[in-house]
Amino acid sequence: MSAPFSKGQSVSEYLERYESNDLLRFLTCGSVDDGKSTLIGRLLHDSGRIYEDHLRAIEAASRVHGTRGGEIDLALVVDGLKAEQEQGITIDVAWRYFATAKRSFIIADCPGHEQYTRNMATGASHCQLAITLIDARHGVSRQTRRHATIASLLGIRHVVAAVNKMDLVGWSQERFREIERDFLEVCRKIGVGDPAAIPVSALTGENVVTRGANTPWYSGSPLLELLESIPVEGQSAESPFRLPVQYVIRPTPDFRGFAGSIVSGSVKVGDRVRVLPRGVETRVRRLARSEEDGGDLVIAHAPSSVLVMLEDEVDCSRGDLIVGGGGGAKAAEAIVAHSFEADLVWMVEAPLMSGAEVLLRQGTRTTNARVVRVKHRVDVDTLESHVADTLALNDIGRVEIEAEVPLAFDPYASVQGTGAIIVIDRLTNATAGAGMIRTGDALDPHTKRAHWETMPVATLDAPHGRSLVSGKEREARWRQRPLSVLLFGKPGSGKTTAAFALERALWDLGHAAIVLDGQMLRAGLSRDLSFTDEDRSENLRRAAEIAKVLNEHGVVVIMSLVAPDPIARERTRQLVGEARYLEFDCGKVAAAAVVAAVMASLHG
Amino acid sequence: MHLTHLDELEAEAIHILRETAASFERPVLMYSIGKDSTVLLHLAMKAFWPAKPPFRLLHVDTTWKFREMIAFRDETMRRLGLTISVHINQEGVRQGISPITHGSKVHTDIMKTQALRQALEAGHHDAAIGGARRDEEKSRAKERIFSFRDRNHRWDPKSQRPELWNLYNTRLGERESIRVFPLSNWTELDVWIYIHRHQLPVVPLYLAKDRPVVERGGMLIMKDDDRLVLAAGEKVETRRVRFRTLGCYPLSGAIESDADTLEKVIEEMLLARTSERQGRLIDHDQSGSMEEKKREGYF
């Protein structure tokens, strides 16, 4: 569909104007009964044109399936599949296109009946605005609340209530104001940024495309005018630069370009950038483009697809994220971590259980991941959280996810392009869930634990291999393999006693060993930490880092900490290295047994 | 800072093409010579420049395409320095399948749908890129950008994966495949305006010219070669015509037109009152017929 054009108008002028149109993607939600299809049919019919052959097909279908007693049923303009026409329901998101002289539009038409959450989330993920249909006779319903909730979760700021069937309530201003008040109140509670309500009749066309005579008391814009004038959220100069690398283009040995779509912000030739998760910093050398296409770019903005060449020969491939460097708003830090919390929409019949092994897609990276736990489920009708450890089809809940490799991301509320995830079932390959990485307080307790995963900021290359003394020489000198021994258990389990007994025994046999005691650490290095789970985990991490350094120098380290969290202990094992790690639960193993086991390991 | 809607559509299509190259082992681009393929190929050249598109190009030839289409195809490949594989269903040729004697339904099924399946299987292609758009036809309004096909190349509207953001799920099981539609969100007008903006060469049949046509079944059919045998009462006339869509010549209806430049074509389209597929016989076989064809594996 296209903007009205009349004979005699200049084509080149028309083209110029059409080419400068921007694009608004919006969704419509509501059930068939609310008159949603009729509203879309009306928008398409009254604003652009419905082709004559389509109209004839609709007229024919109206006689068979129509609900308008043989009259043309505009709802049939948009009811797609044959199966659906027969059942009188729409089962999937349908896409519609039209343009006016001011703007081009893509409509994601979301059915209101079954699978509403899944379908609406799908539609909303592509849109900047949502229209929710409200039947003027019934007012704001549970469904309206659901729509506003899902729109808000998916980051849509503009939610418009089309209060439909005003003809059936006698064009009552009083009725409209009542519904408007309820709707704005719902939006306020949910936190919708920019709500609006319009009294319409899709059937008669009142306030859809043009203002009608029946609502003189309504001073706002008709729906189409609102759609044409609402500001499309552009990229401000302040948006952080984010480019997930999609594909490396390397036609010759001396041309290496990184292809991808800018999901946020902008980039200029010469800008300092960093490649995450490793964090290597370099500069943009070229924004390459062919001569026929106008040659290289100087600057590029989201959502352009670009080809970036970097100054240095850095390690960079699909899945990596190029971000702004060198300070300023554009260089705002992305988070690099293995785990995060997200709001997840579950989309398949088989429920999600805590501990599920899944495939995770975030940015251009797909990796194995584990849903560590489901924390709670959100009731989309009341917005209350309920403790839950599973999510069923169409549920929305908060989950904690841990990926196999470090990911570079942002909270969804800051950058959608890096904060959105999908979860794929490893057996069926179905898209099982879609999620929004959380921001704010919810993430805070985890940022400390996330030190296990955060990458060092400035150290690009550790001075590996610079020491003039080799590991072999150290082993020969001390006549021992370096070990990290963790003695853990509740206070009073005897771990400290066992630790010092072990140290004495090793010393007596001529070995080099040292004790890192939890309480000792807390008196100094860890004096900023409390006794929460997260801080206990962080205390263990610090001990492990010291143990690792001492092991590098050939020394045996005996750690004595409470360390109740098996995940943190597993991370300790990974950090110091499988071959050098031993752990003993002092609640279960006697000190003598510990000494014997360590002695046996010392000589490998 | 905003991109215009055409810039945004272009960026999206390039993103999809790169995603396809990165995610599949043996992707293939289905080039069918028409205006949508013209834009698709241009975008593929752009997406991977300065390298060539990293996938095979394939044309499924029914042997009934307009001669000018074949000439344009070969010229385009020469101009861009590309090579294209051409697949013809030889079994269909042996059986003498023709749109004139067997009708559009049988012809399309054997020479297009079956032929496509043969070619995809022979090439072990896990992804096939096509130029279809959602605004073309009702059943396409719900089509995914990465559209899942089972082992038998069948499309089941109920088993399609939800597509959120631009996070496409490209995972496949053994012998399953995906059809990729980078122009999903383009309209017919967007395609023409993009061609105009970049002055892309198109098959001359899109532009008005005096051509020999026969009136048959309410459509103007061009007599492209001797295989179109005239029935009693039919006669070849020279009329000034052009085509809105191009397929097999006995199935493509011409429209009378004076639009002999891209601008005039666009003007004519803006004033047109009928959809582009109206001139295509195959869509009218039966109600919902495109949906049926898609289920069977038609592109």
Side-chain angles (χ1 to χ4, degrees), chain A residues 525-559:
Chain A
L525 181 66
S526 294
R527 68 165 64 134
D528 58 320
L529 299 180
S530 67
F531 290 89
T532 60
D533 290 353
E534 287 76 21
D535 278 1
R536 282 188 192 283
S537 172
E538 172 61 11
N539 195 34
L540 177 56
R541 187 189 71 86
R542 293 180 190 181
E545 291 283 4
I546 298 170
K548 188 182 175 190
V549 172
L550 291 173
N551 280 175
E552 290 297 326
H553 291 84
V555 179
V556 172
V557 180
I558 305 154
M559 292 174 279

Side-chain angles (χ1 to χ4, degrees), chain A residues 18 21 49 52-53 76 82 84-85 95 97 125-126 232 246 261 293 305-306 318 361 429 431, chain B residues 2 5 11 15 18-19 46 138 141-142 163 165 168-169 185 190 193 197 270 272-273 275 291:
Chain A
Y18 184 83
N21 266 8
R49 305 153 306 163
E52 273 169 10
D53 54 320
L76 294 175
K82 204 175 170 188
E84 293 178 358
Q85 287 190 11
W95 302 90
Y97 304 85
S125 75
H126 299 275
V232 174
Q246 248 191 311
S261 304
D293 242 337
S305 285
V306 293
R318 178 172 170 87
R361 166 128 202 213
N429 289 330
T431 302
Chain B
H2 296 294
H5 86 286
H15 179 88
R18 288 170 170 172
E19 203 60 15
K46 195 167 168 163
K138 262 188 162 190
K142 303 188 175 190
E163 283 181 338
W165 303 286
Y168 302 110
N169 175 357
N185 286 324
D190 294 329
I193 289 181
R197 183 206 262 188
L270 289 169
R273 305 296 304 155
S275 75
E291 188 185 338

